[in-house]
Amino acid sequence: MKTQKVALSERTTILASPRRLGLAFTLLEIVIVIGIILLLATLGIGSYSAARRSLTIDLETDKLVQLVSSLREISKTSPQCAGIRFETNRPSQKIVYAYKNSVEGCEKNGILTPTNGSSEVTITGIQQGTVIVKTASLLFTPPLGTLQIQPTAENLSITLALKNSPTVRRTISFELTTGKIEKIIERP
């Protein structure tokens, strides 16, 4: 291979192959590439954070819907009234009452236990029909798991939001007549 001397200054010289002379990157090109990589990384981190927030609220909403469904099944298979109590800005509580009979219904004194909800999610709104309330309860009574909303209403909507990002919300709607439970996704 043929080599030639390239003079950088009077004091410094290097030996280089003729093919390698034009293949080096300049400092400006390296800085531009690093800038583009940093820009893409910043966009990716922002997208990751938004996806994580959305996933967190979706998982917590699904857990709550699953809990309500399991409470309905408890009331169908055991002599217990089972339900859930919602209160704005507080964790929901599971309720279990003893069932007397079809005439007397459920006992008045029940056992309240906190649900295992996430500390990142809070109840931001409770709406019965068109009325906004601070607390409400769903109660399923044996033997068919019949839904009752207390105080009495035809439907109930519970809005969940992330504590650190209140614009990320999900609403769960409960209908008394059909027993339907529906998850509603609200996009900011």
Side-chain angles (χ1 to χ4, degrees):
M1 176 183 343
K2 196 176 185 185
T3 60
Q4 70 182 59
K5 275 190 173 182
V6 178
L8 295 176
S9 69
E10 289 181 355
R11 299 170 127 192
T12 310
T13 60
I14 60 170
L15 292 176
S17 165
R19 286 185 273 162
R20 292 251 351 191
L21 283 177
L23 295 179
F25 293 110
T26 65
L27 182 59
L28 180 62
E29 291 169 331
I30 292 172
V31 168
I32 289 172
V33 168
I34 290 173
I36 290 171
I37 290 170
L38 289 175
L39 177 67
L40 292 173
T42 303
L43 293 174
I45 289 170
S47 296
Y48 171 77
S49 297
R52 185 185 172 284
R53 287 190 304 268
S54 182
L55 181 62
T56 299
I57 193 76
D58 283 339
L59 287 173
E60 289 305 314
T61 304
D62 290 342
K63 279 185 196 176
L64 188 56
V65 168
Q66 246 180 350
L67 175 62
V68 170
S69 296
S70 71
L71 292 171
R72 178 182 283 167
E73 290 305 312
I74 288 171
S75 71
K76 286 180 179 180
T77 59
S78 71
Q80 293 180 325
C81 298
I84 189 165
R85 181 174 188 265
F86 300 105
E87 190 171 346
T88 305
N89 297 322
R90 294 195 176 220
S92 54
Q93 295 177 312
K94 192 166 78 171
I95 310 167
V96 178
Y97 297 102
Y99 181 68
K100 291 182 178 181
N101 56 46
S102 60
V103 176
E104 295 179 60
C106 300
E107 290 277 346
K108 299 300 178 208
N109 297 321
I111 300 168
L112 291 172
T113 55
T115 59
N116 294 330
S118 169
S119 60
E120 297 180 54
V121 176
T122 187
I123 296 171
T124 59
I126 304 171
Q127 189 170 342
Q128 289 182 311
T130 58
V131 179
I132 296 172
V133 296
K134 294 269 184 203
T135 62
S137 297
L138 294 176
L139 188 64
F140 298 100
T141 57
L144 302 174
T146 308
L147 174 63
Q148 296 176 1
I149 298 174
Q150 298 171 350
T152 304
E154 287 297 313
N155 58 30
L156 178 69
S157 295
I158 306 297
T159 302
L160 304 172
L162 290 178
K163 288 180 180 176
N164 61 356
S165 184
T167 58
V168 180
R169 295 183 287 212
R170 301 292 183 268
T171 300
I172 305 170
S173 175
F174 305 95
E175 289 185 22
L176 181 64
T177 53
T178 61
K180 181 179 174 184
I181 302 171
E182 181 180 21
K183 182 173 109 174
I184 302 164
I185 298 174
E186 299 174 18
R187 299 285 180 205

